[in-house]
Every structure is written in C-alpha cells, then in structure tokens.
C-alpha cells in the first residue's frame, strides 16, 4: 500500500513541476520572453533557470509529500511507517519525475507546439500506475512510463542501476532540449 501511495503522490507531485517548466513555453507564446533576450541573457541561462528550478522543486515537493504522509501516519496508525522507509519510498521516484521534466524541456526546446503531449503522457502514467492492477492491464504497459521502472520500496529493494539509467535518460532529454532551444526561432 505504501509503495502504491508513494507512486501516486509522486505522479501528482509532478504536476506543479511540469507547470513550472512549461511556463517558459507559455511566456514565449505570450511574448514575454522578448525583454529577457533583449538583455545580455543567453538562451541557456533562461531555459537553464527554469529547468534547475523544476528539478529542485521536484525534490522539495517529494519531501513535503513524504513529511505529510508520515505525519498523517503517525497520528492515524498505532504502528506508523518509519520516516526512513517513507523517505526511501518517496525519493526513489525522483529520477522518474526528472524524466518527465526532461520530456518537457525536450518538447519546449524542439517541438514547442507539442508540449501538451507532456500532460497526455503524465495522464497515461497516472492511469497505468494507479488503475493498472485494478483493471488488469498487462505489466508491460507500466514499463511505457518512467514510473514503471521505479522500485516499489519497501516491497522491493532499491535498484541503483535502474535509477541511474533513468537519471541519464532525464539528463539526455534535457541536453537535447537545450540544444533545440538554442537553435530554434523564439516566438513573440
């Protein structure tokens, strides 16, 4: 139960993170980035500040979710789940959230008109991870989302190679997004 709840909380916590990173596309669409680029600010600095903030924001949101879940468990349960277990169960999802950030950066950088696909993919991830067992979806469908690769702590052990691969994928998507953002025409 704890593992599933942490997965759902992580997916829900991805929403404000994606809202922040996709704000850059919104600001561009509204013509509000023009004044930024008229000053001595590079495109890497602009997209980098949004990306770094989103990555750090993901950590803060996960921590707040974990602390909220733990405090509720302490008050509601006789034998509450340890904070250490919840920290492991929550932070193991960070690389999957960062993959979602990487996807948003990639689409913002290369295909800004398709950034809505990020929300579609997050909705698919929520559907598969939350309702997959209930409606008996095949296991391979969970593997179509980054959250399908995160270990279900405390049921499973933490798999550092898997988390490393997810982090490398996130970094690769971000780098490609940065390159695309530097090469494409900025609207507005």
């Amino acid at each position: 139960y704890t593992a599933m709840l942490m997965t759902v909380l992580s997916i829900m916590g991805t929403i404000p993170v994606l809202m922040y990173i996709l704000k850059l596309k919104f600001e561009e669409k509204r013509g509000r980035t023009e004044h930024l680029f008229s000053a001595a600010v590079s495109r890497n600095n602009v997209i980098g500040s949004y990306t770094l903030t989103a990555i750090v924001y993901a950590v803060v949101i996960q921590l707040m979710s974990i602390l909220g879940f733990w405090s509720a468990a302490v008050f509601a349960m006789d034998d509450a789940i340890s904070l250490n277990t919840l920290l492991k169960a929550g932070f193991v999802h960070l690389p999957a959230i960062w993959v979602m950030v990487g996807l948003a950066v990639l689409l913002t950088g290369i295909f800004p008109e398709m950034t809505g696909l990020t929300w579609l993919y997050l909705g698919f991830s929520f559907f598969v991870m939350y309702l997959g067992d209930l409606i008996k979806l095949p296991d391979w469908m969970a593997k179509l989302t980054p959250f399908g690769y995160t270990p279900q702590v405390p049921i499973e052990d933490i798999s550092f190679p898997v988390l490393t691969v997810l982090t490398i994928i996130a970094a690769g998507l971000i780098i490609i997004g940065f390159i695309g953002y530097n090469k494409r025409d900025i609207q507005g």
Side-chain angles (χ1 to χ4, degrees), residues 13-28 33 44-58 61 97-109 112 115 118-119 122 173-174 177-178 181 184:
T14 306
I15 293 171
V17 172
L18 290 180
M19 287 174 68
Y20 189 80
I21 193 67
L22 292 174
K23 184 177 181 186
L24 177 59
K25 165 65 171 74
F26 178 78
E27 296 294 327
E28 179 184 342
T33 55
N44 279 336
N45 285 346
V46 172
I47 195 168
S49 66
Y50 279 88
T51 303
L52 181 62
T53 303
I55 289 170
V56 171
Y57 196 32
I61 287 176
I97 296 171
W98 294 335
V99 168
M100 296 300 292
V101 169
L103 177 64
V105 172
L106 174 78
L107 292 176
T108 300
T115 54
T118 307
W119 296 115
L122 184 65
L173 291 172
I174 289 170
F178 270 57
Y181 192 74
R184 76 172 173 88

Side-chain angles (χ1 to χ4, degrees), residues 109-149:
I110 296 179
F111 305 109
E113 64 281 350
M114 299 175 75
T115 54
L117 291 176
T118 307
W119 296 115
L120 185 65
Y121 189 52
L122 184 65
F124 173 76
S125 297
F126 178 78
F127 178 78
V128 169
M129 297 306 296
Y130 187 62
L131 297 175
D133 287 338
L134 184 67
I135 61 174
K136 306 288 188 229
L137 291 176
D139 291 338
W140 61 266
M141 287 192 78
K143 299 297 183 186
L144 295 176
T145 76
F147 296 98
Y149 290 95

Side-chain angles (χ1 to χ4, degrees), residues 7 9 35 42 48 54 56 72 131 179:
T7 301
L9 286 175
H35 74 283
S42 72
V56 171
L131 297 175
I179 292 168

Side-chain angles (χ1 to χ4, degrees), residues 68-81:
F69 184 44
W70 176 74
S71 63
V74 166
F75 287 112
M77 299 172 70
D78 293 332
D79 187 23
I81 303 164

Side-chain angles (χ1 to χ4, degrees), residues 34-42:
E34 185 177 325
H35 74 283
L36 284 174
F37 295 119
S38 65
V41 176
S42 72

Side-chain angles (χ1 to χ4, degrees), residues 40 64 112 138:
M64 293 299 112

